[in-house]
């Protein structure tokens, strides 16, 4: 994302350019409708700020179980 200026009411400043790499993987157990999904956002743990006034964001990992009634 290229850097950009922010002027939103009293919030003003500059957002620096940043690049993020995410990884998503999913495995579906055959004929059960059950699966697992792993999401890793910002896999290299580079902190960035997506808007002026919000906290820095780093690596975020989520593992979830998926259940589908259509399989």
């Amino acid at each position: 994302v290229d850097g950009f200026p922010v002027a939103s009411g009293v919030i003003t400043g500059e957002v620096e350019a940043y690049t993020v790499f995410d990884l998503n993987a999913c495995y579906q157990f055959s004929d059960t409708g059950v699966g697992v999904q792993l999401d890793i956002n910002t896999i290299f743990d580079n902190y960035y700020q997506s808007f002026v006034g919000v906290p820095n964001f780093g690596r975020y990992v989520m593992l979830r179980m998926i259940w589908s009634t259509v399989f």
Side-chain angles (χ1 to χ4, degrees), residues 34-47:
V34 175
V36 291
Q37 181 175 346
L38 175 66
D39 297 323
I40 304 173
N41 295 351
T42 315
I43 61 175
F44 298 122
D45 202 23
N46 297 337
Y47 285 86

Side-chain angles (χ1 to χ4, degrees), residues 4-53:
F4 56 93
V6 173
S8 179
V10 297
I11 299 173
T12 60
E14 182 81 21
V15 173
E16 295 180 14
Y18 61 91
T19 302
V20 296
F21 294 96
D22 300 333
L23 176 69
N24 303 351
C26 183
Y27 180 78
Q28 189 77 27
F29 298 100
S30 60
D31 299 329
T32 63
V34 175
V36 291
Q37 181 175 346
L38 175 66
D39 297 323
I40 304 173
N41 295 351
T42 315
I43 61 175
F44 298 122
D45 202 23
N46 297 337
Y47 285 86
Y48 67 95
Q49 189 176 31
S50 59
F51 200 76
V52 174

